[in-house]
Amino acid sequence: MNLTKLEELLKNEPGFRIKQIERAVFKDFSENWNDLTNLPVKLRNLLTGKIDLSINGQIFESADSGSLKALIRLDDGILIETVLLMHKDGRNTICLSSQAGCALGCRFCKTGELGFKRNLTTEEIVLQALFFSRYLKKVNTRITNIVFMGMGEPFLNYDNFLNAVRFLNDENKFSIGQRKISVSTSGITEKIRMLADENMQINLAVSINAPDDEIRRKIMPIADKYTLDELISSIRYYIEKTNRRVMLEYVLLKEINDFPEHAEKLSKKIKGLLCFVNLIPFNGDDIGKRPLIKNINEFKKILSNNKIPFTQRYRFGDDIKAACGQLVFSKNL
Ligand code: SAH
Ligand code: SF4
């Protein structure tokens, strides 16, 4: 799909046409120009000949958890992955990729291992939501929540990410409330401050992942550029400006950051911040990195004792490699 030609094609049409078409594609999720019966036949035929509405995607279904992964082939052949999590309470959360690959190379993340291919355009980000919206329409439901937690670092593709948020939020398009949209960053502090000034209601999550700089630098090369104090100061600024609670993601890695002393140190570091910790036990084949249940429980107990609110992320879609940090450019399409 590529809609860049649309404006050119419609330049002699009345002004409302583009709105009509956007509504059909991004609100009613029509997949075929001939379904747009409110357009003149001539225009429908023109569009059918010039713009392909299909999306080249393949779905993998998890046996256990109600999650699906889509492998989408972009026009230049690059493959990206998007995940749909269908929760029992009726929420359908989609996890979007913002880049093909990632340049930041976190030691625990499969996407990072692959390196960086390129930024996704706004249309390519939106395309992922469109793909699953069409799928969900067939079972009479829709996307309710969006998280930018797929491949890539959204804040290193800031403008396209933000335009995609505006597009998804637009009431004439996907109409997904800002409060239902979350973005996760590895901690690009100047962009955290920039987002704070955008006057938006979306949710911010930050991958803090360590209680001090020394450990953080070992697992996240980006920590060489930004210290934890600098990061926390940008989060504080975000909270001051937006008055919104921030999620601090913490990937638990065996014997690296999962000891009681780490939980104590983390608690001290973030005390008083309007935040909660989201614990994510390592996902992946490397069993040596998976934290012991005993350590996870101990970690939680210490956070509780220190009155730090926390949640634990449930692991979805292991069998289809849809869990956090598992997204790669699969070759099976
Ligand atoms: N690049 C952004 C967003 C995508 S990653 C970021 O890093 O925040 C989304 C979350 O998955 C991050 O919190 C990251 O720390 C976590 N993650 C990455 N690899 C993981 C793994 N193997 N196991 C568990 N969580 C992982
Ligand atoms: Fe990139 Fe996020 Fe993976 Fe780190 S965890 S390599 S920032 S996608």
Side-chain angles (χ1 to χ4, degrees), residues 198-211:
E198 304 281 357
N199 207 4
M200 294 187 96
Q201 300 287 310
I202 62 174
N203 306 301
L204 175 68
V206 179
S207 300
I208 191 158
N209 291 342

Side-chain angles (χ1 to χ4, degrees), residues 102-106 108-109 111-112 150-153 186 220:
C102 182
L104 299 184
C106 300
F108 44 83
C109 172
T111 309
M151 300 169 88
E153 168 50 55
S186 58
M220 301 178 76

